[in-house]
Amino acid sequence: MTMIFGIPVQALLGQLLVGLINGSFYAALSLGLAVIFGLLRIINFAHGALYMLGAFVGYLLLAFAGIGYWPALIVAPLIVGLFGAVLERTMLSRLYKLDHLYSLLFTFGLALFIEGTFRYFYGSSGQPYAVPPSLAGGTNLGFMFLPNYRAWVVVASFAVCIGTWFLIERTKLGSYLRAATENPTLVQAFGVNVPLLLTFTYAFGCALAGFTGILAAPIYQVSPVMGSNIIIIVFAVVVVGGMGSIFGAIATGYLLGLAEGLTKVIYPEASNIVVFVIMAVVLLVRPAGLFGKEA
Amino acid sequence: MTETSLSQPFVGPAAGRAPLRLLAVCIGFAALVAAPMFFYPIFVMKILCFALFASAFNLLLGYTGLLSFGHAAFFGGAAYVTAHAVKVWGFPPELAVLAGVLGAIVIGAVIGFLAIRRQGIYFAMITLALSQMFYFFCLQAPFTGGEDGIQGVQRGKLLGFIDLGQTMNMYYFVLGIFLLGIFAIWRIVNSPFGAILKSIRENETRAISLGLSVNAYKLSAFVMSAAIAGLAGSTKALIFQFATLTDVTWQMSGEVILMTLMGGIGTLLGPVVGAGLVVTLQNVLATSEFPVTVITGATFMLCVLTFRRGIVGEIEAAIVRWKRR
């Protein structure tokens, strides 16, 4: 077997693939956080819970309505997005004028509430969700075996990231969004319905989390705790990347996912803290984050 | 941009009401001394422990305006150090508690040093991430006993002759620590140092322009808060005679936030009231089928939406309104 620095190439590539997949999830989730933070100036602590909700909606659709993976990939994010829209309209919008820490506390409570509810019904153990038949099996690339579903996850999440970036940076709607980030009062005066824009943005961020959840369902098991496990890592990603730029959030997500994968090969004991260590180092060297502008 | 500060409007010391205050303090003290005759002592000790923990947290959030999402690291970290000191090093209780507090100071200094580099929401996320890192460390480090924790910690003899194995002795020991901690917080808050902390909370930029080395003050406040949280954690390890992973989880950090929020952020008594309520609620729910997290989450949302001042904060505001009439 071929070796690099005493590590079998197969193991290295395998873990890098796992890292790339985790990185895809980190990227999509931190992207959602950055989009919401950009306009609403709130940190959505419930993002992990919404990711879990997306996976569970997919699971429940299959179990009770017989709706398979592909339709669920569209329906689940829509349901989660709608849920987000209702939340924003009825509760979150009351908190905008207060200190931002209150919305953080509110969404933290929301996360506990959603997770607790699913735990009550499904316990902490995971429910299996099968890979769709059209993506079962894998491809032998010669140097490694690539499961088709994993390849799809990488492609799909990358496409969503690029699509979101395009929507925000290159379209008319995106320009309204960016303008409202700079000066909501002025944009409102120009006749743009800013409150509606806020609702849409929050719902869109939530839908992104839901989409990531259903994407992750066949890889990890669908479990009530999957959200809280990932959200803290995503927070560290956001601290490293800074939420100033969409591109920064995406790039940092992939970067840290790969770093985590690499650590699993070199020094497995540290694999679940490596993201936090990187965060600490970045705070020491560049307190504003890799892509951050503000001090 | 209208932005409501996290703090309450400053409520001045009730001038001319000093005797009334003294009376209230005496009644409170008498109630705490007599409490174990009427309630299950372990239960009261647990409340005192969490009340001290929440008060330590409030020193940071309520008086300095820093929301730490990682206070469990100090609480649980100190519990581990105390348990280890008793079990492996054979320390007497007073030294073991001291060791726990020192441990919390070290963890607090490291986390605080990194976290104060960013403000507001980022500060909260950094403390959360670093305390989660500490959780993983505790999960894997050999001396913490992993999932089992450190069990069977002896309470020992205080100063060599007071047997803390006796529940009543233990209770007054815990009460003493609680009062000491609360007194320390009261002194800090009402000192010139405390005034500077409040100025940082109200307007950090202004404090910097006045020539104050804001970061040094923030770090000191952070470490003090960590030390007192550690004091509470060490005491908890002695009360229950074990230290486990539960005390270092992010859920524990969330619980202490809820206690403070419910009781009243930035009030001296608020965290104590909040801790009493949350611990009682948990005891009631522990026997029922109902999931605690759902209630906790719903309470959080309700508190933020409807009474942000908390119970004590609302009462204080009502008194101020009543006086103005």
Side-chain angles (χ1 to χ4, degrees):
Chain A
M1 196 181 278
T2 336
M3 310 277 268
I4 299 176
F5 304 124
I7 301 156
V9 171
Q10 296 276 326
L12 184 69
L13 288 175
Q15 287 304 335
L16 278 183
L17 177 65
V18 171
L20 190 61
I21 285 168
N22 283 341
S24 305
F25 296 140
Y26 297 161
L29 288 175
S30 60
L31 172 66
L33 280 179
V35 167
I36 292 174
F37 181 78
L39 190 59
L40 282 76
R41 296 282 140 185
I42 66 171
I43 273 294
N44 190 25
F45 211 121
H47 219 66
L50 293 164
Y51 158 85
M52 180 269 284
L53 196 64
F56 255 102
V57 168
Y59 168 78
L60 294 174
L61 283 175
L62 187 66
F64 292 107
I67 295 173
Y69 177 82
W70 295 108
L73 203 57
I74 310 288
V75 178
L78 282 178
I79 292 176
V80 176
L82 200 67
F83 179 70
V86 172
L87 269 175
E88 198 277 341
R89 272 298 73 199
T90 55
M91 298 182 213
L92 262 182
S93 54
R94 294 158 194 261
L95 302 175
Y96 291 150
K97 285 185 183 138
L98 305 169
D99 194 300
H100 303 318
L101 295 178
Y102 281 118
S103 49
L104 179 69
L105 293 179
F106 176 82
T107 49
F108 175 69
L110 180 66
L112 286 181
F113 183 80
I114 299 174
E115 188 181 308
T117 309
F118 277 91
R119 257 172 115 135
Y120 182 61
F121 290 109
Y122 293 95
S124 309
S125 58
Q127 317 285 330
Y129 187 93
V131 171
S134 44
L135 287 175
T139 315
N140 197 344
L141 299 179
F143 54 89
M144 69 176 291
F145 182 77
L146 178 69
N148 287 342
Y149 187 77
R150 293 182 177 235
W152 156 248
V153 166
V154 173
V155 172
S157 85
F158 190 68
V160 164
C161 286
I162 294 299
T164 308
W165 174 82
F166 187 82
L167 178 73
I168 290 172
E169 301 288 342
R170 291 287 180 271
T171 64
K172 191 86 180 163
L173 180 66
S175 69
Y176 287 159
L177 277 175
R178 281 178 287 129
T181 307
E182 293 292 327
N183 192 337
T185 325
L186 197 63
V187 174
Q188 176 96 46
F190 283 151
V192 177
N193 189 342
V194 172
L196 188 70
L197 210 58
L198 292 173
T199 310
F200 169 77
T201 308
Y202 189 73
F204 180 73
C206 294
L208 265 180
F211 178 80
T212 319
I214 177 85
L215 211 57
I219 291 188
Y220 310 121
Q221 291 193 317
V222 180
S223 113
V225 293
M226 66 193 282
S228 51
N229 286 343
I230 203 167
I231 191 66
I232 302 179
I233 299 177
V234 174
F235 275 179
V237 170
V238 160
V239 172
V240 171
M243 280 182 293
S245 81
I246 299 291
F247 172 76
I250 300 171
T252 317
Y254 281 109
L255 223 60
L256 290 192
L258 286 173
E260 205 180 47
L262 210 59
T263 317
K264 269 191 194 126
V265 195
I266 299 166
Y267 188 60
E269 288 80 6
S271 63
N272 48 17
I273 62 164
V274 65
V275 173
F276 304 124
V277 173
I278 293 176
M279 181 190 82
V281 172
V282 168
L283 281 172
L284 284 175
V285 184
R286 253 185 85 94
L290 291 181
F291 300 90
K293 276 162 275 182
E294 32 106 58
Chain B
M1 183 114 183
T2 48
E3 205 168 287
T4 310
S5 164
L6 197 68
S7 59
Q8 276 76 56
F10 179 67
V11 182
R17 298 246 169 181
L20 209 64
R21 285 199 143 199
L22 198 65
L23 186 71
V25 170
C26 287
I27 292 175
F29 183 70
L32 284 175
V33 171
M37 328 279 179
F38 303 99
F39 301 98
Y40 183 49
I42 297 271
F43 172 69
V44 186
M45 283 192 256
K46 189 178 176 188
I47 290 183
L48 288 178
C49 225
F50 278 98
L52 185 58
F53 182 26
S55 300
F57 170 78
N58 186 42
L59 176 63
L60 202 58
L61 176 62
Y63 296 103
T64 323
L66 298 174
L67 172 60
S68 157
F69 241 105
H71 255 52
F74 319 131
F75 185 71
Y80 273 127
V81 173
T82 299
H84 187 77
V86 169
K87 209 162 176 197
V88 181
W89 300 335
F91 275 26
E94 64 278 6
L95 279 184
V97 168
L98 200 66
V101 172
L102 283 177
I105 287 175
V106 172
I107 306 166
V110 173
I111 293 187
F113 177 73
L114 289 167
I116 56 162
R117 290 168 164 261
R118 298 283 282 270
Q119 277 120 2
I121 285 167
Y122 283 104
F123 181 88
M125 290 196 287
I126 293 166
T127 46
L128 175 65
L130 290 175
S131 75
Q132 185 70 1
M133 181 169 142
F134 184 71
Y135 166 82
F136 281 122
F137 168 76
C138 290
L139 185 66
Q140 290 173 347
F143 85 94
T144 57
E147 302 272 359
D148 299 330
I150 305 176
Q151 310 269 354
V153 177
Q154 292 299 316
R155 285 178 185 166
K157 286 187 162 56
L158 182 65
L159 303 173
F161 68 96
I162 305 168
D163 182 13
L164 293 181
Q166 303 274 339
T167 310
M168 274 319 193
N169 289 350
M170 186 64 196
Y171 177 80
Y172 291 111
F173 174 62
V174 173
L175 182 60
I177 285 182
F178 168 77
L179 291 174
L180 187 79
I182 295 290
F183 178 72
I185 292 171
W186 181 77
R187 279 297 298 143
I188 293 169
V189 168
N190 290 301
S191 67
F193 175 78
I196 291 174
L197 294 187
K198 281 174 228 166
S199 79
I200 294 173
R201 176 191 73 189
E202 293 305 321
N203 194 336
E204 188 171 339
T205 327
R206 186 87 181 265
I208 294 170
S209 72
L210 284 171
L212 298 169
S213 42
V214 166
N215 277 348
Y217 281 103
K218 277 186 180 173
L219 186 59
S220 328
F222 195 89
V223 172
M224 285 177 197
S225 173
I228 299 171
L231 182 64
S234 296
T235 315
K236 192 191 170 210
L238 286 183
I239 297 171
F240 292 97
Q241 305 186 317
F242 59 73
T244 59
L245 279 174
T246 320
D247 291 344
V248 286
T249 54
W250 60 266
Q251 286 93 338
M252 182 58 80
S253 300
E255 245 169 54
V256 76
I257 298 173
L258 180 65
M259 290 171 186
T260 311
L261 182 66
M262 252 175 112
I265 298 169
T267 62
L268 204 60
L269 271 183
V272 179
V273 173
L277 276 175
V278 172
V279 172
T280 310
L281 189 75
Q282 282 170 345
N283 259 35
V284 172
L285 289 177
T287 48
S288 76
E289 280 274 294
F290 220 78
V292 182
T293 359
V294 177
I295 304 279
T296 316
T299 320
F300 243 112
M301 290 157 70
L302 201 72
C303 281
V304 173
L305 284 176
T306 56
F307 61 107
R308 282 178 285 276
R309 279 194 276 227
I311 296 166
V312 173
E314 290 292 346
I315 293 173
E316 277 185 359
I319 292 174
V320 169
R321 271 199 303 274
W322 182 74
K323 272 188 190 160
R324 282 211 188 115
R325 266 206 246 163

